[in-house]
Amino acid sequence: MDYNRLIMSLQKELDCQKKLLDTVLKEREAVILLDQDKAYAIAQEKEDLLDNARALQDKRIQVLGIDPAITKEIPKLEALINQCSSPHLRKELTKLRNELKEIAQAVYAMNAHNAILVRQSLGIVSATLSILRSTSEAEVPTYGYNAKLTRDSQDPAFAPRNKTLVRSA
């Protein structure tokens, strides 16, 4: 096992994860500002980074000398660290593992928070549409802290308009 190549591969993955975290932070800002164009551009940037992360993971698997067609399970980084005989390389691998884990958790948490912000923004848009459509207050849905409807009804802002029309002869 070439641990130096593994460290270089993990460093590239870490750099990619840091860029992904920065992108998710920019996404939060776009959602808060309700900047749809910026949010779409950031979503594309995020997809590109995720594609890059997958490619880097494939390169790491190659560095490990694993054939994905034969071996379905990729060894955990902890096991690889334990197999390494050099204390210096073990220290470097442990540091990279901890940083990768920390950033992955931050990206996951930020993504979850962004999803809540998007749902809340949709609630605001929904309420605004209801007001603009002159829906009575009784029909305007109420959203809770988790950005979900607090009652079991369909949001009238997204209901077809023709249901509210009454034909007269």
Side-chain angles (χ1 to χ4, degrees):
M1 162 74 58
D2 186 350
Y3 287 101
N4 287 316
R5 283 185 59 206
L6 178 60
I7 288 171
M8 287 180 6
S9 179
L10 290 171
Q11 186 61 50
K12 288 178 184 176
E13 286 186 59
L14 180 62
D15 292 342
C16 182
Q17 291 294 326
K18 286 178 180 178
K19 289 177 187 174
L20 186 59
L21 181 60
D22 289 340
T23 302
V24 173
L25 286 168
K26 287 191 283 184
E27 182 181 48
R28 171 195 268 181
E29 182 182 316
V31 169
I32 289 172
L33 296 174
L34 299 174
D35 188 341
Q36 183 179 4
D37 294 334
K38 186 175 181 181
Y40 282 140
I42 291 170
Q44 182 58 53
E45 182 181 343
K46 196 162 85 169
E47 278 301 314
D48 293 343
L49 286 169
L50 290 171
D51 289 342
N52 187 29
R54 286 183 204 100
L56 290 170
Q57 181 181 6
D58 291 343
K59 287 181 184 177
R60 178 172 35 94
I61 291 169
Q62 288 176 351
V63 167
L64 294 174
I66 296 172
D67 184 357
I70 298 171
T71 307
K72 298 293 181 198
E73 191 171 316
I74 300 168
K76 300 236 181 234
L77 195 50
E78 184 70 32
L80 296 172
I81 292 169
N82 291 335
Q83 292 173 1
C84 181
S85 60
S86 167
H88 172 72
L89 293 175
R90 286 173 81 163
K91 183 178 178 182
E92 186 66 25
L93 286 167
T94 301
K95 178 184 163 206
L96 284 169
R97 183 202 63 207
N98 292 340
E99 285 183 72
L100 279 166
K101 187 175 181 179
E102 182 180 313
I103 289 179
Q105 289 172 341
V107 168
Y108 179 81
M110 189 65 65
N111 244 349
H113 188 259
N114 286 355
I116 290 170
L117 288 174
V118 167
R119 285 192 298 273
Q120 288 175 341
S121 296
L122 286 174
I124 292 168
V125 169
S126 170
T128 303
L129 282 173
S130 293
I131 291 167
L132 292 174
R133 287 183 167 180
S134 299
T135 305
S136 69
E137 189 174 315
E139 294 177 6
V140 175
T142 305
Y143 286 85
Y145 73 94
N146 61 356
K148 293 185 178 177
L149 287 174
T150 56
R151 59 182 182 171
D152 296 331
S153 66
Q154 181 182 3
D155 192 334
F158 296 108
R161 241 352 225 163
N162 59 3
K163 286 186 177 178
T164 60
L165 297 177
V166 178
R167 293 187 182 197
S168 59

